Amino acid sequence: MNTYFFDKARVKGFLHARGKIMVNGDEEEIILRGLGAGNWNNPEGFMIGVPVKPHMSASKENVVNPRLDRGRNFSALIRELCGTKYEREFWPKWFDNHLGEADIRQIAQWGYNSVRLPIDAMFFLYEEPGITFNEASFAMLDRVLKWCEKYRIYGIIDLHGAVGGQTAMACDNGVDSMPHLFFDEESRERTLCLCEELAKRYKDNPFMGGYDMINEPLSRVVWEEYLPKLKFFYKEMIERMRKYDRNHIIFLNGHEKSERVDIFDEDFDPQCHNWGIAFHNYGAIPQKQFFVPYLEKQAQLEVPLWFSEGGGNDLWMSAIYEISVEYHIGFNTWCYKMAATDDAKVFSPYVKHRLPGEWQMILDYAFKGSRRPSYTHAQAIFDEYLNNLKFENCEVYDIGANSALRRPGGTIPAVAYDRKHEDGEKAFAGSYFYGNAFNYRIDDGMHIVTEPGFVSRYGALNSIRGEWQHYELKLYPKDYAEYTLRNVSENSYIDVVCRSNSLSSLFITENMRDENKVLYNGSLNSADENEYGVLHLPLEREADTAAIRITCTQGEVFLKKIIYR
């Protein structure tokens, strides 16, 4: 996929649907590549430094809120420990420090063209009788969108927490772990009023890229009885928003953590047909089959798709996002910034902030009933937390962005080879008649094997989530695989990590448009078939996009990964 689909120059005018793709104000196709600003306006317990608790799997019988599992409970604890005045002044500082101009600038510098902005109704619509909006929160959102304009990226408003809650989990900051939005008329009407207000205020802002409504509704199977109400809510929401804003695309989410798309069986925006389907996933096996349910809906309804929330390690992102853009599906990684804890390893945030030195005292008080710190002491701990949130005080990890965007500094698993060129021609050739035994890319004719010493926990006929990362690509004579690289410079190079069990040889080329360059043409003679060798190959040319083709010309070669430096 050529880089120009992601180019910052294409961030111009209103982002809108045009059949199965998204286009900008000049009707040029644009594919979103973005990050989600999780924990900014909608704090979640596991992202602020609280160990994951069973509330992440709520049910009809489990509606109790553990302390610190969501924003409102976090707020209550701050008020309890630090006082009402401190708590009231805490949140504006949190919002500004968590997502400042330096953060938006960094997202743009990495090469992303969008940021998903999760907002919580509690901070925008006061929880009191009548409809009274919090102007300070709208001013905060306005500032962020101004920075988006300055650094030329789209900011997409994500209603992460509707009034009363819509997910039945802690992530919506609901009053408990029940989806009140669908059986509480007041919560429903207040949410619709907020949606209308967003449309009124941002209808003329082209750098507000669109609306992501609503995050992960009805995320537990036990609440599927409310699916008809979800459909009805979407239809009324769009109808009311379209009274004010016909410019912006509206993305709708399916149920069960936005992974299911069953409810989308008609045009939900008959006035404008300016909508799309957003879906989420963490850790799916990165192959074409994962996208099939979404592609079927895309074809049926003629609407664009957006992989609006997903996460995993750098190898997963390098693999799955390349398939996503092949189908012209934008992607957004969760999340940009969170606390540096063990839970951060699951979500691989690009920016991590330290927790206060005495944070454990807060956790012990909240969960164990330990000694309560004084007001002054507690305020000092939370002041330190606020200071740690600032971009200049955080640790920045580039490898996630580099791998997701296929830029220098990233790594590509060998089994994440390209599927096809833009003209539809296959970007690989395999001669292995039997496919493979792992239910991974089984129809490609490529021989996929496990790395030396790896034994599956699940049996040979499985490809369970992370196990695919232990696979290798075995090439026979005339077999080849290609790998897309972006932002190639004269100083770029690749390390091809491979092994062989005989006198084998490879022919490696760097392909740019109609111009090919030979990078390597020689033998691999390994004394031990289980030992990896590294071919260090300078690229020495400049291009937006290049494809590395690795062809076996003799013997058998096992490819492990391509490290792009």
Side-chain angles (χ1 to χ4, degrees):
M1 181 65 64
N2 285 330
T3 301
Y4 58 77
F5 286 110
F6 319 121
D7 198 291
K8 294 286 176 52
R10 293 208 170 189
V11 180
K12 55 183 175 182
F14 293 104
L15 181 68
H16 57 285
R18 184 64 70 236
K20 298 177 185 178
I21 64 172
M22 284 184 281
V23 298
N24 62 18
D26 288 347
E27 296 294 317
E28 299 169 316
E29 181 179 1
I30 182 168
I31 296 178
L32 295 179
R33 304 192 300 183
L35 293 174
N39 226 31
W40 163 57
N41 188 243
N42 187 68
E44 300 181 50
F46 72 98
M47 299 171 71
I48 64 174
V50 179
V52 172
K53 296 292 180 180
H55 67 264
M56 295 298 288
S57 300
S59 67
K60 288 184 176 180
E61 292 73 34
N62 175 26
V63 299
V64 179
N65 288 0
R67 282 156 77 86
L68 287 179
D69 70 330
R70 64 195 72 196
R72 68 177 62 248
N73 293 345
F74 189 31
S75 191
L77 185 73
I78 296 170
R79 185 165 57 250
E80 181 181 327
L81 288 173
C82 302
T84 301
K85 181 176 182 293
Y86 183 93
E87 184 266 338
R88 187 168 57 247
E89 296 172 349
F90 176 86
W91 287 115
K93 297 175 183 176
W94 172 283
F95 301 146
D96 288 345
N97 292 359
H98 201 288
L99 190 65
E101 181 176 357
D103 296 285
I104 298 297
R105 180 173 61 243
Q106 178 62 67
I107 292 171
Q109 287 178 349
W110 271 322
Y112 290 100
N113 60 14
S114 56
V115 57
R116 182 169 174 248
L117 302 170
I119 65 170
D120 178 7
M122 183 180 81
F123 289 112
F124 281 79
L125 177 59
Y126 286 111
E127 294 184 333
E128 56 187 31
I131 301 296
T132 306
F133 296 108
N134 185 334
E135 293 300 326
S137 290
F138 277 103
M140 166 202 69
L141 182 54
D142 291 344
R143 286 195 298 274
V144 172
L145 290 173
K146 278 290 185 185
W147 296 328
C148 289
E149 179 178 0
K150 180 177 179 178
Y151 296 104
R152 211 176 187 90
I153 64 176
Y154 285 115
I156 299 175
I157 296 176
D158 155 33
L159 186 53
H160 218 76
V163 179
Q166 78 279 2
T167 70
M169 299 197 306
C171 61
D172 63 14
N173 196 30
V175 294
D176 52 30
S177 293
M178 297 181 71
H180 288 268
L181 178 70
F182 303 108
F183 52 78
D184 178 354
E185 181 56 35
E186 186 173 53
S187 293
R188 179 176 171 278
E189 178 59 27
R190 290 173 68 82
T191 298
L192 290 169
C193 287
L194 176 57
C195 292
E196 284 183 315
E197 187 67 16
L198 291 168
K200 291 176 186 177
R201 292 182 185 238
Y202 298 107
K203 64 182 186 298
D204 297 321
N205 187 340
F207 287 93
M208 197 291 286
Y211 306 98
D212 184 18
M213 305 288 197
I214 50 181
N215 181 70
E216 300 189 352
L218 302 175
S219 282
R220 307 300 298 173
V221 175
V222 295
W223 299 106
E224 286 192 355
E225 64 188 273
Y226 290 105
L227 286 177
K229 291 196 173 185
L230 173 60
K231 288 184 65 174
F232 185 73
F233 172 81
Y234 277 156
K235 291 177 180 179
E236 185 173 3
M237 178 193 74
I238 289 180
E239 183 177 352
R240 289 171 64 163
M241 292 181 73
R242 288 301 184 216
K243 292 178 182 178
Y244 308 99
D245 187 352
R246 301 173 68 91
N247 292 322
H248 289 98
I249 189 170
I250 299 175
F251 293 101
L252 302 181
N253 289 251
H255 62 297
E256 289 188 32
K257 301 180 183 176
S258 296
E259 293 185 3
R260 297 277 297 276
V261 290
D262 313 41
I263 67 168
F264 301 120
D265 55 4
E266 59 183 296
D267 189 348
F268 279 69
D269 185 16
Q271 293 184 58
C272 304
H273 195 67
N274 190 15
W275 69 288
I277 296 174
F279 61 93
H280 298 177
N281 188 272
Y282 290 88
I285 301 169
Q287 57 182 338
K288 178 186 68 175
Q289 285 84 341
F290 161 69
F291 292 93
V292 167
Y294 311 112
L295 293 169
E296 288 178 343
K297 289 297 180 181
Q298 179 192 54
Q300 174 190 346
L301 299 168
E302 284 286 319
V303 295
L305 300 173
W306 183 34
F307 191 175
S308 60
E309 184 179 315
N313 64 25
D314 56 300
L315 297 179
W316 183 82
M317 292 188 291
S318 173
I320 201 162
Y321 291 152
E322 202 62 27
I323 305 173
S324 174
V325 299
E326 178 190 330
Y327 290 109
H328 300 252
I329 302 171
F331 61 85
N332 192 282
T333 301
W334 189 270
C335 70
Y336 166 69
K337 181 190 288 186
M338 66 180 286
T341 66
D342 287 342
D343 293 326
K345 297 175 183 177
V346 177
F347 291 88
S348 301
Y350 292 10
V351 175
K352 299 179 187 177
H353 64 78
R354 291 176 293 107
L355 291 167
E358 295 182 286
W359 183 244
Q360 191 59 46
M361 178 180 290
I362 301 298
L363 297 181
D364 289 345
Y365 170 75
F367 295 109
K368 298 180 181 179
S370 299
R371 180 177 65 85
R372 179 190 182 282
S374 68
Y375 285 118
T376 302
H377 191 177
Q379 288 176 2
I381 294 174
F382 281 98
D383 282 346
E384 183 184 351
Y385 201 125
L386 289 172
N387 189 56
N388 290 350
L389 287 176
K390 295 178 181 178
F391 179 80
E392 60 266 27
N393 297 329
C394 293
E395 297 178 81
V396 178
Y397 296 87
D398 295 315
I399 189 170
N402 293 334
S403 293
L405 305 182
R406 296 281 183 99
R407 299 174 58 215
T411 299
I412 305 171
V415 293
Y417 49 87
D418 294 355
R419 293 189 63 253
K420 61 182 181 180
H421 303 135
E422 289 186 3
D423 61 6
E425 180 187 355
K426 288 202 305 184
F428 62 89
S431 57
Y432 192 64
F433 177 78
Y434 301 102
N436 65 75
F438 303 103
N439 199 27
Y440 178 79
R441 307 191 71 161
I442 197 165
D443 298 326
D444 287 355
M446 305 290 273
H447 193 183
I448 294 173
V449 299
T450 57
E451 64 189 17
F454 177 76
V455 178
S456 170
R457 292 179 297 160
Y458 302 97
L461 295 178
N462 282 285
S463 186
I464 304 297
R465 293 187 179 270
E467 287 207 347
W468 66 272
Q469 297 176 48
H470 298 280
Y471 297 164
E472 294 180 341
L473 184 60
K474 185 176 182 180
L475 298 180
Y476 300 95
K478 297 184 180 180
D479 289 356
Y480 65 82
E482 293 185 12
Y483 304 88
T484 292
L485 306 178
R486 297 190 175 86
N487 302 104
V488 181
S489 73
E490 295 179 354
N491 299 319
S492 302
Y493 63 91
I494 58 171
D495 286 338
V496 179
V497 180
C498 57
R499 61 188 180 90
S500 65
N501 60 3
S502 61
L503 184 63
S504 306
S505 57
L506 287 178
F507 182 66
I508 303 176
T509 58
E510 177 189 15
N511 305 333
M512 298 179 180
R513 298 184 179 90
D514 298 326
E515 182 183 3
N516 299 337
K517 175 188 175 185
V518 176
L519 299 180
Y520 184 81
N521 187 9
S523 62
L524 302 170
N525 191 3
S526 174
D528 185 345
E529 66 178 34
N530 293 328
E531 286 188 4
Y532 292 103
V534 178
L535 296 176
H536 181 80
L537 307 174
L539 301 180
E540 298 177 346
R541 292 192 296 176
E542 188 169 322
D544 291 336
T545 305
I548 302 300
R549 175 179 287 199
I550 302 176
T551 304
C552 177
T553 53
Q554 181 180 341
E556 300 172 355
V557 177
F558 299 82
L559 298 181
K560 178 60 181 174
K561 57 188 174 183
I562 293 87
I563 303 172
Y564 181 26
R565 304 190 189 269

